[in-house]
């Protein structure tokens, strides 16, 4: 143990400890059934070239949790990898004239170095990159198994087309009518596409939201809303003068007697068919063309429509009602047709007023005066009792829904129905830098899966990227031309690649056994490590990645890739049903009032922080400046403050190194020394607060604040000469040790360096997390507030355990209190133990 320099050199300490951790493989783990496991995972990054402050914050949160759980005795899996396929690599290849594989590999090397400089405790032996054949080979096998089971299928469909990215987008990747990645306007096209039948899992995905108490409510709400379960009925309205009927889905069959017109989506095939040859045909065609150019948001907010020159019949009233094409009706929900009930739906109400359509009240509220259509200022959308509804008059709405649905079934014009907003996941992308879809097309045999023994279908690297539309794979003759696995005739490969959300939907499973070469996963490793105990990432992934990951986990379970099949109803099968037990969604890092981004010119390079202050300062600022779920406002003063605290702690302990290294920490009591007892109370109160904040509340900023208060509590007592009282020396030594151990997950380098400089062994990351000495927490004196008629009139110091009667007597004996109650009858007294006395006169 050498003499400490009074000046802390963060760079020397950080290099030394990072080298030691790497040499000793400190953070590499294997399953150990004798120890409880903890799987901590941050959403893996896209290798863009440099980490940013959002990464620093996200990964510091994860590292604090991982390091603290190790000190708690858990066998902690904390891996890192790279979400390495994607369009930015293609764009960079075109702009920089470099191959996507080279660009991606160089970026991974650069970002790995940055992450290692931050001191994150990753098991680098499990590192993976999704762009390697060793990884996507298994994804291709999953797809073939889904194809066998009917979960994967191909069909022609209207898709979201991004002209900027020259590829198809899933519904979840369209944000306000624009591409989630490049923000180009998204238009509709009809293409042959591959889909995964996520709708087959809609009910399980929805029901299992109730099995995730460790997830934020806002994320679960977003998922429930996206799945969008609606319970109701399908009703058929026969066409007037034409064969067939219009089928509608409604959650309010109790209002069918009030349906006075029909609204259909402009994409509905009946719009063109029924309007053909009518006087309205030209106006309908113009309206359809105009609406198709509107964004989904413009359509959802609209009230535009046009009569298509046709009618249908209300199956319950027998009335002939007009059919309108309306911009607010979408083919993506229900049947693309809506029975319009203007008195009981606000949008129908406004539409009917604009177009002069009839209105009929069929549900009356229980207590209000009867509704009359001509007097209504808005639709009544609540439940009530039916009127003007024939044999159903007087029924309460919920009962009427059931009775009217049953009547529709009996008449053959309807059925009970449950529908979902969720649509099947389109996974075809017309781009190069992605995993090839393992099928071929044969003129004789049709769509033929690539045999499993021929996997992986390797993405060729000798591809010219020109920036022209479509996938360059389609122009790569050596890749496209192949032979049919069934008949050996010439065939062509699929040239679309998988949506990159495929790769991120199962990577957390692969981490459990990343070096398996004969199977995707080792079931024993999955049984030990899964589910992920703590998952950390941005709330922007609530519907995309998180929903797909939940879906993939359930599918792979059902396909047998995760070991024995687990029945969907098994109450104890959460580890096979859900991938992430707890989820933390951290806020953004903002500067000058805006999210950090290159386009806004407000980016702070983490390398600048590391070079100037050291990694521990960057870690401490990112964790201390705000609670993790809130946005973090960048502050130069905050960074300076974090640095000052670490340097101050170093100076304090350097001052007392000579005697602190020779003093055994207190293990109980405090003897007759009041200062020792007070310091031990502060130490163990801090241990209790930090443990609670890190393990349960995940409020890391208040945990750090508590440690800073402890440092303030002992800082002045650490001088070159030790305190004279042995009990106080031991209490200070205990406080110092507790401070370093509590800080170790947050600032591991300086904590480890100080620990070793004080002669402590073993290394601090092998030291158990401190436990609370309950006896040290007992207060020796308690200050209570004295109120007279609710106003503070004095304070009282008592010994814990004093009876309420004695507390009241002491309070009434206080001089200021006596003056307030003199000569007045006491009407009431209240003693709140340990807090206050209230006297009412």
């Amino acid at each position: 143990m050498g003499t400490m320099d009074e000046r802390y050199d963060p760079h020397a300490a950080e290099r030394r400890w990072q080298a030691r951790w790497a040499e000793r493989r400190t953070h590499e783990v294997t399953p150990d059934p004798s120890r409880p496991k903890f799987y901590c995972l941050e959403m893996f990054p896209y290798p863009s070239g440099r980490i940013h402050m959002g990464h620093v914050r996200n990964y510091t949160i994860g590292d604090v949790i991982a390091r603290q759980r190790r000190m708690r005795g858990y066998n902690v899996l904390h891996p890192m990898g790279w979400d390495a396929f994607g369009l930015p690599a293609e764009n960079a290849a075109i702009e920089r004239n470099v191959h996507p594989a080279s660009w991606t590999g160089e970026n991974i090397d650069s970002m790995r170095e940055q992450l290692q400089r931050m001191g994150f405790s990753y098991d680098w032996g499990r590192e993976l990159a999704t762009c390697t054949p060793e990884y996507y080979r298994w994804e291709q096998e999953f797809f073939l198994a889904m194809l066998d089971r009917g979960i994967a299928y191909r069909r022609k469909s209207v898709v979201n087309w991004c002209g900027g990215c020259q590829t198809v987008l899933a519904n979840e990747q369209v944000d306000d009518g624009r591409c989630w990645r490049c923000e180009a306007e998204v238009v509709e096209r009809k293409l042959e596409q591959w889909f995964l039948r996520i709708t087959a899992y809609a009910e399980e995905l929805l029901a299992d939201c109730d099995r995730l108490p460790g997830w934020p409510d806002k994320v679960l709400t977003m998922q429930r809303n996206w799945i969008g379960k609606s319970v109701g009925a399908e009703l058929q309205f026969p066409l007037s003068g034409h064969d067939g009927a219009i089928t509608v889905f409604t959650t309010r069959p109790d209002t069918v007697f009030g349906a006075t017109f029909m609204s259909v989506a402009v994409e509905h095939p009946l719009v063109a068919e029924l309007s053909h040859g009518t006087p309205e045909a030209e106006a309908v065609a113009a309206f359809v063309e105009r609406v198709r150019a509107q964004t989904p948001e413009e359509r959802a907010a609209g009230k535009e429509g046009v009569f298509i020159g046709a009618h249908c019949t209300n199956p319950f009233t027998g009335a002939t009602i007009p059919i309108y094409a309306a911009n607010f009706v979408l083919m993506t929900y229900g049947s693309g047709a809506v029975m319009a009930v203007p008195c009981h739906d606000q949008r129908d109400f406004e539409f009917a007023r604009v177009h002069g359509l009839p209105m009929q009240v069929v549900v009356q509220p229980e207590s209000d005066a009867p509704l009359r259509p001509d007097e209504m200022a808005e639709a009544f959308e609540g439940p009530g009792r039916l009127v003007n509804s024939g044999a159903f008059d007087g029924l309460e709405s919920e009962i009427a829904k059931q009775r009217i649905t049953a009547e529709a079934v009996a008449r053959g014009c309807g059925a009970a129905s449950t529908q979902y907003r969720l649509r099947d996941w389109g996974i075809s992308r017309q781009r190069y830098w992605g995993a090839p879809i393992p099928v071929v097309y044969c003129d004789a045999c049709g769509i033929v899966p690539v045999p499993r023994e021929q996997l992986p279908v390797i993405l060729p690297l000798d591809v010219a990227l020109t920036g022209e539309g479509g996938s360059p794979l389609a122009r790569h003759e050596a890749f496209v031309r192949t032979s049919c696995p069934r008949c050996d005739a010439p065939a062509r490969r699929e040239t679309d690649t998988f949506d990159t959300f495929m790769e991120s939907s199962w990577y957390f499973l692969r981490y459990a056994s990343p070096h398996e070469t004969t199977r995707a996963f080792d079931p024993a490793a999955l049984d030990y490590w899964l589910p992920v105990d703590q998952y950390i990432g941005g709330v922007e992934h609530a519907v995309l990645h998180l929903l797909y990951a939940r879906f993939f986990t359930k599918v792979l379970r059902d396909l047998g890739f995760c070991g024995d099949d687990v029945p969907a109803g098994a109450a104890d099968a959460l580890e096979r049903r859900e991938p992430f037990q707890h989820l933390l969604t951290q806020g953004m890092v903002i500067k000058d009032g805006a999210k950090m981004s290159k386009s806004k010119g407000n980016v702070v390079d983490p390398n600048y922080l590391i070079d100037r202050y050291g990694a521990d300062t960057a870690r401490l600022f990112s964790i201390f400046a705000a609670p993790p779920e809130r946005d973090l406002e960048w502050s130069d003063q905050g960074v300076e403050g974090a640095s000052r605290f670490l340097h101050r702690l170093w100076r304090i302990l350097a001052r007392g190194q000579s005697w602190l290294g020779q003093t055994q920490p207190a293990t109980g009591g405090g003897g007759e020394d009041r200062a020792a007892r007070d310091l031990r109370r502060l130490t163990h109160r801090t241990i209790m607060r930090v443990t609670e904040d890190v393990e349960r509340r995940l409020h890391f900023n208040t945990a750090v604040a508590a440690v800073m208060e402890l440092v303030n509590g002992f800082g002045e007592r650490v001088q070159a000469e030790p305190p004279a009282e042995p009990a106080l020396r031991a209490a200070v030594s205990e406080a110092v040790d507790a401070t370093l151990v509590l800080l170790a997950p947050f600032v591991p380098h300086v904590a480890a360096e100080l620990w070793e400089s004080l002669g402590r062994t073993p290394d601090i990351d092998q030291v158990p997390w401190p436990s609370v000495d309950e006896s040290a927490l007992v207060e020796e004196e308690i200050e209570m507030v004295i109120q007279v008629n609710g106003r503070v009139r004095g304070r009282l110091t008592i010994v814990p355990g004093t009876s309420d009667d004695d507390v009241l007597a002491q309070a009434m004996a206080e001089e200021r209190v006596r003056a307030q109650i003199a000569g007045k009858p006491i009407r009431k007294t209240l003693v709140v133990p340990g807090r206050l006395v209230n006297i009412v006169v």
Side-chain angles (χ1 to χ4, degrees):
M1 180 179 70
T3 302
M4 292 171 58
D5 192 317
E6 285 203 2
R7 295 190 61 181
Y8 174 48
D9 180 355
H11 302 102
E14 289 168 6
R15 283 193 299 270
R16 192 160 77 89
W17 286 100
Q18 288 165 16
R20 182 180 296 186
W21 296 329
E23 179 185 349
R24 297 180 179 179
R25 299 184 175 182
T26 302
H27 305 122
E28 293 185 13
V29 290
T30 56
D32 181 355
S34 68
R35 297 170 62 196
K37 69 90 182 179
F38 191 91
Y39 187 173
C40 182
L41 184 64
E42 305 93 60
M43 294 179 186
F44 66 169
Y46 179 79
S48 59
R50 304 185 75 82
I51 66 170
H52 52 67
M53 285 307 299
H55 289 131
V56 169
R57 189 184 193 199
N58 186 8
Y59 303 150
T60 299
I61 290 169
D63 201 50
V64 169
I65 294 171
R67 287 178 176 275
Q68 193 269 348
R69 294 304 192 278
R70 285 191 196 95
M71 300 174 85
R72 269 295 206 186
Y74 287 91
N75 192 26
V76 175
L77 174 59
H78 189 209
M80 175 50 67
W82 312 97
D83 191 9
F85 273 138
L87 197 62
E90 287 189 50
N91 293 339
I94 296 166
E95 293 168 8
R96 299 175 174 85
N97 194 29
V98 60
H99 195 280
S102 301
W103 187 80
T104 301
E106 291 170 3
N107 288 350
I108 287 174
D109 291 342
S110 174
M111 292 178 70
R112 184 192 304 110
E113 181 183 2
Q114 287 182 288
L115 295 177
Q116 290 171 340
R117 287 191 71 194
M118 288 296 302
F120 296 134
S121 59
Y122 295 127
D123 181 349
W124 286 106
R126 294 173 185 263
E127 182 183 11
L128 57 81
T130 61
C131 63
T132 62
E134 293 79 13
Y135 183 85
Y136 65 72
R137 174 254 187 277
W138 302 110
E139 185 166 299
Q140 292 173 341
E141 182 153 335
F142 301 155
F143 174 82
L144 295 179
M146 293 182 198
L147 191 61
D148 291 343
R149 193 71 71 93
I151 297 170
Y153 66 95
R154 191 171 188 256
R155 65 174 167 87
K156 182 168 282 189
S157 69
V158 175
V159 296
N160 304 307
W161 178 261
C162 172
C165 296
Q166 287 287 296
T167 192
V168 170
L169 302 177
N171 291 338
E172 297 87 342
Q173 294 167 322
V174 180
D175 186 10
D176 291 334
R178 296 188 173 274
C179 173
W180 74 289
R181 188 180 292 280
C182 76
E183 299 185 354
E185 184 178 350
V186 174
V187 298
E188 292 184 343
R189 276 193 182 181
K190 206 159 192 176
L191 294 174
E192 288 279 356
Q193 296 287 293
W194 285 100
F195 289 84
L196 296 186
R197 209 178 300 275
I198 191 173
T199 52
Y201 286 78
E203 187 59 38
E204 186 180 350
L205 287 166
L206 183 64
D208 282 356
C209 285
D210 296 334
R211 291 170 157 264
L212 297 171
W215 283 41
D217 288 341
K218 63 180 179 181
V219 174
L220 293 174
T221 297
M222 292 167 76
Q223 292 221 350
R224 290 184 180 109
N225 290 343
W226 190 261
I227 296 168
K229 181 178 182 179
S230 298
V231 178
E234 282 191 342
L235 303 175
Q236 294 176 355
F237 286 63
L239 294 171
S240 301
H242 297 267
D243 293 336
I246 295 181
T247 300
V248 303
F249 170 76
T250 178
T251 60
R252 294 293 304 271
D254 56 316
T255 66
V256 65
F257 283 84
T260 58
F261 63 97
M262 179 70 64
S263 301
V264 297
V266 297
E267 297 87 358
H268 200 294
L270 286 177
V271 171
E273 179 183 332
L274 297 178
S275 64
H276 179 70
T278 68
E280 291 80 12
E282 187 175 339
V284 171
F287 179 74
V288 168
E289 184 177 357
R290 182 164 59 82
V291 171
R292 281 182 176 274
Q294 294 178 342
T295 67
E297 289 66 34
E298 289 172 332
R299 293 182 63 172
K303 294 183 286 290
E304 299 178 72
V306 62
F307 175 54
I308 69 170
H311 297 77
C312 60
T313 301
N314 185 317
F316 279 84
T317 67
T320 299
I321 63 176
I323 304 172
Y324 277 75
N327 68 337
F328 55 81
V329 183
L330 304 176
M331 281 300 294
T332 54
Y333 182 75
S335 63
V338 177
M339 70 174 199
V341 186
C343 283
H344 304 291
D345 180 274
Q346 185 60 29
R347 187 153 49 189
D348 294 344
F349 179 92
E350 295 171 3
F351 190 94
R353 285 285 170 86
V354 169
H355 294 275
L357 295 166
M359 303 170 70
Q360 173 74 290
V361 173
V362 293
V363 179
Q364 288 283 0
E366 293 281 0
S367 57
D368 296 344
L371 299 173
R372 295 180 175 82
D374 56 344
E375 297 175 356
M376 295 174 68
E378 61 183 5
F380 171 64
E381 297 182 325
R385 292 192 177 274
L386 269 63
V387 296
N388 301 319
S389 299
F392 303 97
D393 278 0
L395 290 180
E396 190 271 333
S397 291
E398 287 303 314
I399 296 173
K401 289 179 183 180
Q402 301 171 26
R403 299 272 182 90
I404 289 174
T405 300
E407 179 67 16
V409 173
R411 294 186 187 183
C413 66
S417 179
T418 298
Q419 298 203 6
Y420 299 88
R421 179 175 180 261
L422 182 68
R423 290 292 175 263
D424 283 344
W425 175 12
I427 57 169
S428 297
R429 297 295 178 268
Q430 293 69 42
R431 63 171 176 240
Y432 162 66
W433 192 237
I437 298 176
V439 296
V440 302
Y441 300 98
C442 172
D443 290 341
C445 303
I447 298 172
V448 182
V450 172
R452 285 167 172 77
E453 61 270 18
Q454 294 181 18
L455 298 180
V457 176
I458 295 178
L459 184 71
L461 298 182
D462 56 336
V463 168
L465 295 168
T466 63
E468 298 175 9
S471 171
L473 282 179
R475 300 184 291 271
H476 192 287
E477 288 292 316
F479 176 79
V480 174
R481 293 189 178 186
T482 187
S483 57
C484 175
R486 287 182 186 162
C487 70
D488 205 35
R492 61 181 181 84
R493 291 193 188 278
E494 171 64 80
T495 58
D496 287 353
T497 54
F498 285 134
D499 177 9
T500 54
F501 278 102
M502 288 274 283
E503 285 85 68
S504 60
S505 294
W506 62 279
Y507 77 106
F508 45 88
L509 299 170
R510 182 67 176 172
Y511 278 138
S513 50
H515 306 300
E516 279 285 340
T517 58
T518 60
R519 53 189 174 177
F521 317 116
D522 174 0
L526 289 184
D527 284 343
Y528 181 78
W529 290 117
L530 271 293
V532 174
D533 296 279
Q534 183 67 65
Y535 199 38
I536 304 152
V539 73
E540 66 272 16
H541 299 292
V543 171
L544 290 164
H545 162 59
L546 290 171
L547 185 64
Y548 294 154
R550 295 181 62 217
F551 164 62
F552 243 77
T553 300
K554 296 171 189 301
V555 171
L556 295 182
R557 169 206 69 197
D558 291 348
L559 295 176
F561 284 100
C562 299
D564 296 334
D565 286 358
V566 178
D572 60 348
L574 177 63
E575 64 275 12
R576 297 287 180 83
R577 300 182 64 163
E578 290 293 335
F580 313 121
Q581 197 162 43
H582 294 88
L583 173 69
L584 190 158
T585 53
Q586 89 283 355
M588 298 183 297
V589 180
I590 58 177
K591 186 173 186 285
D592 304 326
K595 178 182 177 181
M596 282 190 180
S597 70
K598 292 179 181 177
S599 63
K600 295 184 175 67
N602 62 352
V603 171
V604 175
D605 185 352
N607 276 349
Y608 162 77
L609 287 184
I610 298 172
D611 291 341
R612 180 167 180 179
Y613 299 102
D616 280 342
T617 291
R619 293 170 61 113
L620 187 61
F621 168 73
S622 68
I623 212 82
F624 180 60
E629 71 280 3
R630 302 282 296 276
D631 289 346
L632 184 155
E633 178 72 47
W634 176 264
S635 164
D636 292 331
Q637 293 81 10
V639 176
E640 290 283 354
S643 178
R644 282 197 303 272
F645 169 72
L646 297 180
H647 283 269
R648 174 176 174 247
L649 177 63
W650 181 275
R651 288 194 303 272
I652 289 171
L653 301 192
R655 236 178 12 231
Q657 181 193 19
S658 60
W659 62 269
L660 283 170
Q662 307 298 320
T663 304
Q664 282 292 108
T667 56
E672 299 298 319
D673 191 285
R674 173 67 179 272
R677 296 196 301 272
D678 288 346
L679 182 55
R680 292 206 72 234
R681 186 179 308 111
L682 177 60
T683 297
H684 287 274
R685 188 186 301 139
T686 302
I687 294 170
M688 183 172 64
R689 285 178 58 188
V690 173
T691 303
E692 171 80 0
D693 283 345
V694 172
E695 293 185 358
R696 192 180 70 82
R697 299 176 66 232
L698 301 182
H699 280 192
F700 309 108
N701 57 320
T702 55
V704 171
V707 178
M708 289 178 173
E709 291 177 16
L710 178 58
V711 173
N712 291 338
F714 69 73
E716 291 302 317
R717 300 185 182 279
V718 180
Q719 302 296 331
E721 294 298 322
E725 175 58 46
L728 182 56
R729 287 201 300 274
V732 171
S733 182
E734 180 189 33
V736 167
D737 283 11
T739 294
L740 296 180
V741 175
L742 296 176
L743 281 177
F746 301 90
V747 286
H749 309 91
V750 68
E753 188 77 358
L754 286 167
W755 183 263
E756 187 173 80
S757 296
L758 295 179
R760 305 295 197 250
T761 57
D763 288 353
I764 199 167
D765 51 13
Q766 299 174 39
V767 174
W769 189 255
S771 57
V772 176
D773 182 347
E774 298 289 342
S775 65
L777 297 176
V778 176
E779 297 282 353
E780 298 187 14
E781 291 182 342
I782 301 173
E783 184 178 77
M784 297 180 66
V785 172
I786 308 171
Q787 296 179 340
V788 177
N789 291 341
R791 298 187 66 180
V792 176
R793 298 300 183 184
R795 298 181 185 275
L796 178 69
T797 300
I798 65 164
V799 176
T802 303
S803 69
D804 288 355
D805 289 343
D806 286 346
V807 168
L808 182 60
Q810 291 181 46
M812 294 177 68
E814 289 287 315
E815 183 176 347
R816 288 186 63 197
V817 175
R818 288 204 313 270
Q820 292 292 321
I821 64 176
K824 301 173 185 176
I826 297 176
R827 296 162 52 198
K828 183 180 179 181
T829 61
L830 173 67
V831 177
V832 180
R835 291 181 54 197
L836 65 86
V837 178
N838 192 24
I839 303 168
V840 180
V841 295

